[in-house]
Amino acid sequence: YVSSFLSFREIEPLEFLVKKQMEEKPDLTPAVVLVDGNGILHRRRAGIACFLGVRTGLPTIGVGKSLYCEGGLQKESVNVGIDNMLMELQKLISEKKNYFPELSKSEKRYVLIDKDAISSSDETFSKKDTSNSNDTDRKSFLKNVKNFCSGIGVYLETNCGEVLGCALVGHGGRVGAKNKEQLGTKNPIFISIGHKISLKDAVILCAELSKARIPEPIRHADLWGRELLRKLQQQQK
């Protein structure tokens, strides 16, 4: 594996599988494909999600499990930006509680997206604001918003002013021990445009499709793939 060249190694089998399904079972063709890899959040603005979308013609979304550091974006500064954003959101919620009503289990939750991006050129993200560190604790904050929110996103902007993706936290929280209170995940995933979809729609879809940290289509594909590999290894013994 060579960083930023994943597409060249894996696009052929992915394209073959998707096109085979489209030809043999066209009624099962998805409205959008979630890809375990980046879209335009990439050195050449063309990750594997872009490749697959262009080659198949389907809308695609890139879902990164870790941050692809591009355009000055760094893991530490992005984490600081997420914490600062959550702190500001918590202040807003405490000041305007009527705008954030608690919902019943059957009611649809909101996906909140910050209009201000985390920018690699913004000095406010160079160090964490610790003046109210208890309020910035992600776990305690997510416990406070779980009754009306199904995910919180903040856009990621390079030092050139390009918005390449979005960090999503607070989603999922529907898979776990039965007797344990479930919260949205405190660890972000990184959403980016692959093909024929807006970043806002991509973020909302990923939040709505998440029972755990990783959206269900990708999580189940990974589980099924590991199970298939295990069975093949057993047959070869």
Side-chain angles (χ1 to χ4, degrees):
Y1 170 72
V2 180
S3 178
S4 86
F5 287 92
L6 176 68
S7 304
F8 294 92
R9 188 184 74 174
E10 299 192 359
I11 187 59
E12 298 298 335
L14 285 177
E15 180 185 2
F16 171 79
L17 287 171
V18 173
K19 285 186 174 179
K20 182 180 180 182
Q21 173 269 305
M22 292 172 69
E23 292 172 3
E24 296 181 359
K25 299 283 186 178
D27 55 311
L28 298 180
T29 300
V32 62
V33 178
L34 275 65
V35 182
D36 188 358
N38 291 302
I40 65 170
L41 181 53
H42 187 271
R43 184 180 303 170
R44 292 178 296 280
R45 311 300 186 260
I48 191 166
C50 300
F51 271 62
L52 187 63
V54 169
R55 290 201 179 188
T56 62
L58 296 175
T60 56
I61 299 171
V63 182
K65 298 172 185 173
S66 57
L67 176 66
Y68 186 100
C69 298
E70 170 58 24
L73 292 166
Q74 299 294 329
K75 182 178 179 180
E76 182 178 349
S77 60
V78 168
N79 274 323
V80 169
I82 292 172
D83 284 339
N84 288 343
M85 178 270 291
L86 292 178
M87 182 180 68
E88 291 300 319
L89 180 57
Q90 182 154 319
K91 289 179 181 177
L92 178 64
I93 292 172
S94 63
E95 292 170 359
K96 299 185 178 182
K97 292 182 180 179
N98 291 338
Y99 287 89
F100 302 95
E102 291 193 8
L103 304 174
S104 67
K105 290 184 177 181
S106 61
E107 291 182 286
K108 188 177 179 65
R109 266 67 180 156
Y110 303 102
V111 179
L112 304 178
I113 302 178
D114 195 341
K115 63 181 179 64
D116 296 322
I118 295 174
S119 174
S120 60
S121 61
D122 192 337
E123 293 182 0
T124 60
F125 297 125
S126 62
K127 61 181 180 178
K128 188 172 182 177
D129 181 357
T130 57
S131 61
N132 202 358
S133 58
N134 288 332
D135 288 341
T136 61
D137 179 78
R138 291 186 195 178
K139 190 173 181 179
S140 62
F141 173 76
L142 294 173
K143 182 177 181 179
N144 293 333
V145 301
K146 68 170 186 172
N147 289 325
F148 65 83
C149 179
S150 63
I152 306 167
V154 57
Y155 294 132
L156 303 174
E157 183 178 277
T158 70
N159 46 21
C160 296
E162 293 179 277
V163 174
L164 295 185
C166 182
L168 177 65
V169 296
H171 58 291
R174 289 179 280 170
V175 174
K178 290 183 179 180
N179 296 325
K180 185 178 179 181
E181 183 179 30
Q182 299 303 310
L183 305 177
T185 178
K186 63 179 182 179
N187 297 316
I189 55 175
F190 302 94
I191 313 302
S192 56
I193 294 169
H195 189 56
K196 289 185 176 180
I197 194 168
S198 70
L199 183 55
K200 179 181 177 181
D201 287 344
V203 172
I204 292 172
L205 275 172
C206 286
E208 296 294 340
L209 290 172
S210 295
K211 290 185 178 180
R213 176 174 175 250
I214 308 302
E216 288 299 280
I218 293 177
R219 191 173 76 90
H220 279 284
D222 182 64
L223 291 172
W224 292 337
R226 291 176 186 275
E227 178 64 16
L228 178 60
L229 182 60
R230 184 186 66 80
K231 290 180 179 179
L232 288 173
Q233 290 172 339
Q234 287 181 340
Q235 291 174 3
Q236 293 172 358
K237 289 182 180 180

